Amino acid sequence: MRARYRFASAWAVPAEVGAVADVALDLAGYPSWWPEVRAVARLGPDAARVLCRSALPYTLDLVLEAVSRDLPTLEVSVAGDLDGWVRWTLTPAPGGTRLALAQEVSVGGALAAASVLARPVLRWNHHRMMAGCEQGLRRRLGTPGVSSPRPAAGR
């Protein structure tokens, strides 16, 4: 049994695209600014093991591998507790950069079984993780103001 998830959100930060890309491409630095990313271990020049835990008491063990580092699109494949991909599109916006997230993943095992009843809670947990991303990214870039990421409709 597998459960599929699609997520999308977008927000803007008052920093140049290059500065945002530099932070986004530095996976090893994620735990210093993104609270839900608990640990990162480099597996090679284009891959890392990442441990994530949001509000729910469950740590995701993921392997991220670079697919694209060419702006405007930064994309990784995801394997481990989730299988799929995550894509950031960074574009200039008035006063800074617009970040658009698109993610498609599937889960198996206990998370797939939990999805039958707990899908809204798991989506809320993801939203909390992305709010931590936005707030942490703003702090890391030294930019004021925090707005909540706007989730797009998805399954």
Side-chain angles (χ1 to χ4, degrees):
M1 172 180 192
R2 300 217 46 94
R4 300 196 185 287
Y5 287 85
R6 289 184 184 163
F7 298 102
S9 61
W11 64 85
V13 294
E16 292 185 16
V17 170
V20 176
D22 288 346
V23 173
L25 289 168
D26 179 20
L27 288 178
Y30 278 26
S32 70
W33 60 267
W34 191 345
E36 293 79 10
V37 176
R38 304 302 173 99
V40 175
R42 186 178 167 150
L43 300 176
D46 291 323
R49 182 177 179 198
V50 179
L51 301 178
C52 303
R53 184 175 182 158
S54 189
L56 296 177
Y58 185 82
T59 300
L60 294 174
D61 187 350
L62 309 172
V63 174
L64 306 182
E65 188 164 350
V67 172
S68 172
R69 295 175 189 228
D70 299 321
L71 289 171
T73 303
L74 308 177
E75 183 175 340
V76 294
S77 63
V78 180
D81 290 334
L82 305 176
D83 291 305
W85 54 267
V86 178
R87 180 182 306 130
W88 285 102
T89 302
L90 309 179
T91 54
T97 300
R98 180 179 188 272
L99 297 90
L101 167 81
Q103 179 178 5
E104 290 190 19
V105 293
S106 64
V107 297
L111 279 179
S115 292
V116 173
L117 296 176
R119 182 174 289 271
V121 173
L122 295 173
R123 291 187 65 76
W124 167 83
N125 195 59
H126 182 270
H127 178 73
R128 290 283 306 266
M129 178 150 181
M130 297 316 300
C133 175
E134 180 189 8
Q135 293 166 2
L137 182 61
R138 286 179 178 281
R139 281 190 300 273
R140 173 69 176 79
L141 292 167
T143 58
V146 175
S147 65
S148 180
R150 293 176 306 277
R155 313 187 267 166

